[in-house]
């Protein structure tokens, strides 16, 4: 018997994104994403299976200009070429979800060199009773208003 799958309700009028693109190297994750989109009546989503560096480079070369990019890389973080492709697409915001503070700090520094600033961070304890904590960081391009939050990582 397969494990239970998460079910998220989202009425089409609640989904403000004009277009959603998902990329994952694990084929069953792409299958699950497509099934969840269908189940939730989401018609503006498309999914690509492959290496993040290859997909990011392809989307960049196709001229994709997203408003927001969300990444949730494995512990090793993002490859430098993925960060470069994301920055070249020019999103105003990047949401970075990380399970490893060391690679998060490394990657935030690279994004910083490409014009992005960390403006907000939050720790999320998704695994109570363990030492594992996810960190979500909002990176913004351009001017940051006076309510900015300075985020520093010590490795």
């Amino acid at each position: 018997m397969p494990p239970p799958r998460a079910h998220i309700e989202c009425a089409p009028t609640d989904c403000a994104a004009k277009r959603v693109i998902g990329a994952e190297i694990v084929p069953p994750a792409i299958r699950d994403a497509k099934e969840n989109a269908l189940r939730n009546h989401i018609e503006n989503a498309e999914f690509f299976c492959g290496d993040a560096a290859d997909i990011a480079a392809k989307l960049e070369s196709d001229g994709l200009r997203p408003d927001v990019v969300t990444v949730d890389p494995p512990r090793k973080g993002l490859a430098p070429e993925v960060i470069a492709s994301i920055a070249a697409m020019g999103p105003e915001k990047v949401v970075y979800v990380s399970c490893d503070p060391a690679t998060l700090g490394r990657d935030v520094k690279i994004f910083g060199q490409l014009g992005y600033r960390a403006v907000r961070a939050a720790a999320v304890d998704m695994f109570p009773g363990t030492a594992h904590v996810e960190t979500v960081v909002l990176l913004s391009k351009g001017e940051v208003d006076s309510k900015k939050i300075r985020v520093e990582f010590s490795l």
Side-chain angles (χ1 to χ4, degrees):
M1 180 175 225
R5 295 191 180 149
H7 180 73
I8 300 171
E9 292 293 330
C10 177
T13 56
D14 294 339
C15 298
K18 187 184 233 182
R19 181 178 179 200
V20 176
I21 298 172
E24 174 61 60
I25 198 164
V26 179
I30 294 294
R31 184 192 67 236
D32 290 347
K34 288 178 179 178
E35 288 175 8
N36 281 326
L38 185 64
R39 181 181 300 117
N40 290 291
H41 312 288
I42 297 172
E43 298 174 359
N44 62 341
E46 57 188 299
F47 304 96
F48 298 96
C49 188
D51 181 73
D54 296 337
I55 294 170
K58 168 93 170 80
L59 294 173
E60 176 198 347
S61 71
D62 288 350
L64 183 69
R65 298 292 175 254
D67 297 321
V68 179
V69 171
T70 301
V71 295
D72 185 0
R75 290 193 185 284
K76 68 179 182 175
L78 294 173
E81 58 269 22
V82 174
I83 296 172
S85 288
I86 291 170
M89 287 186 262
E92 283 298 312
K93 297 176 183 171
V94 175
V95 178
Y96 193 121
V97 181
S98 176
C99 60
D100 186 323
T103 55
L104 172 65
R106 179 199 68 204
D107 292 351
V108 166
K109 182 176 180 180
I110 296 170
F111 272 111
Q113 294 166 349
L114 297 171
Y116 288 85
R117 299 170 83 183
V119 294
R120 176 173 266 173
V124 182
D125 188 0
M126 295 178 61
F127 308 102
T130 72
H132 301 286
V133 176
E134 297 284 312
T135 304
V136 181
V137 175
L138 173 62
L139 300 160
S140 181
K141 186 176 186 176
E143 293 299 314
V144 178
D145 67 25
S146 62
K147 295 179 183 176
K148 69 182 178 206
I149 297 173
R150 183 181 176 120
V151 179
E152 294 184 10
F153 294 94
S154 177
L155 304 178

